[in-house]
Amino acid sequence: MARIYNFSAGPSTLPLPVLEEIQNDLLDYKGVGLSIIEMSHRSKDYSEVHQEAKNLLHEVFGIPKNYKIIFCTGGASMQFAMIPMNFLHQGSCDYIDTGAWSAKAIKEAKIQGKAHRVAGSSKDTNYNYIPSQDQLDLDPNARFVHITTNNTIFGTQYKNLPDTGGVPLVCDMSSDILSKKMDFDSIGMIYAGAQKNMGPAGVTVAAIREDMLENLAEGLPSLLTYKTFVNKDSLFNTPPCFAIYTIKLVLEWIKKVGGMETIQKWNEEKGDLLYGMMEKYSEFYNGTTEKESRSLMNVTLRLPNVELEKIFIADATKAGFGGLKGHRSVGGIRVSMYNAMPVEGVKKLTEFMDDFRKKNS
Ligand SMILES: *Cc1c(COP(=O)(O)O)cnc(C)c1O
């Protein structure tokens, strides 16, 4: 078996022990004679998985008990629409625009035709930084402030959450959920598609603070109101069982390796390795983001010219490093190093990059 080091931005690499457990469970889940993807979502075995995935999200990620955890489908993109549908009738809300995903969330709010404001943006410099507190124009009476905590395409990440003066934050954490310890004090809601840092595509996890669930918009279709997901425990209709089961395994893996503390330490080590090397040879490996805003999940960089970038990707692929091509809207190179990418993988990549630079400069 020859598995590559997979630096894809999403869907992305999963921990090998998790894949092995899935493989092991697939024909006969815990001796019941069928797999988890063939059994009723109302069965006792699946129910245990469903509850345990939620319990572990509370336990491992520290989501407080006064948040309801739900499993939705439709990706993070569906949340872009559901959030304004459910909350916007209560008053204006603020969005901070830090990249393509923020912009899509804003577009969906606009479709709802209700009041929303862009309270800060880094679009002026092609989203290469996170606006600082004094660059924001926040409405103290807003219903919520929406941010994208990690900008997967542009390689920026919030180091500290903005101070909203008590207005609840709604955070798209699709590409950095479970990557570091989290303080929930200012959080009204978080949500994340699973396929970057938690599991396979197909499920979106959301955690919503209980007070946010009061006075939700009336008259929405059943599958578009949070009421249904909360009241029916995300079992109104068939949930994405396989994706939720995988999330449970990933959370068990995180717990086993030492919890968020270990994961955060690994992610910081990986960042130090790669950014350290890029800083040393910045004329060759030119990071595209401002230092204070750079992401530990997605590292974006340019080489001296487009031709070299093509050769870099081809040579890296031959050497067993995949998924390094930058997003089509920005070009260049993108190294995504989510939780399941071992420190060893990033170390090997920096060695490859060191060699490549020597040969090509
Ligand atoms: C990938 C991504 C999305 C889109 O997720 P889907 O599940 O494909 O809808 C949204 N926001 C961020 C930050 C992402 O990285």
Side-chain angles (χ1 to χ4, degrees), residues 74-77 80 101 148 150 152 172 174-175 193 195-196:
S77 302
F80 296 166
W101 296 117
T148 314
N150 183 75
T152 326
D172 176 2
S174 291
S175 52
Q195 70 273 21
K196 285 22 184 280

Side-chain angles (χ1 to χ4, degrees), residues 77 79-81 84 88 93-123 127 144 146-148 191:
S77 302
Q79 298 307 307
F80 296 166
L88 265 198
C93 58
D94 284 349
Y95 280 75
I96 302 178
D97 181 15
T98 53
W101 296 117
S102 306
K104 285 190 176 167
I106 292 166
K107 188 174 164 217
E108 294 297 321
K110 218 175 263 174
I111 290 173
Q112 295 308 310
K114 308 261 175 49
H116 73 279
R117 302 163 61 247
V118 177
S121 173
S122 51
K123 196 174 178 189
Y127 298 120
F144 63 79
H146 182 279
I147 63 168
T148 314
Y191 64 97

Side-chain angles (χ1 to χ4, degrees), residues 275-300:
Y275 283 118
M277 196 273 294
M278 285 164 55
E279 271 176 23
K280 214 157 127 198
Y281 302 110
S282 58
E283 73 297 334
F284 195 84
Y285 291 124
N286 186 8
T288 61
T289 60
E290 285 188 4
K291 185 169 178 176
E292 314 73 61
S293 303
R294 63 198 190 184
S295 166
L296 289 181
M297 297 284 100
N298 313 95
V299 180
T300 49

Side-chain angles (χ1 to χ4, degrees), residues 29 36 44-54 241 244-246 248:
Y29 180 77
I36 199 85
K44 178 174 156 290
D45 287 296
Y46 177 71
S47 294
E48 281 172 14
V49 167
H50 195 87
Q51 296 311 321
E52 189 59 8
K54 289 194 302 171
C241 305
I244 294 168
Y245 152 76
T246 309
K248 172 192 162 264

Side-chain angles (χ1 to χ4, degrees), residues 34 41 44 305 318 323 353 357:
L34 74 169
H41 57 293
K44 178 174 156 290
N305 59 64
K318 268 186 234 148
M353 288 170 77
R357 176 188 55 80

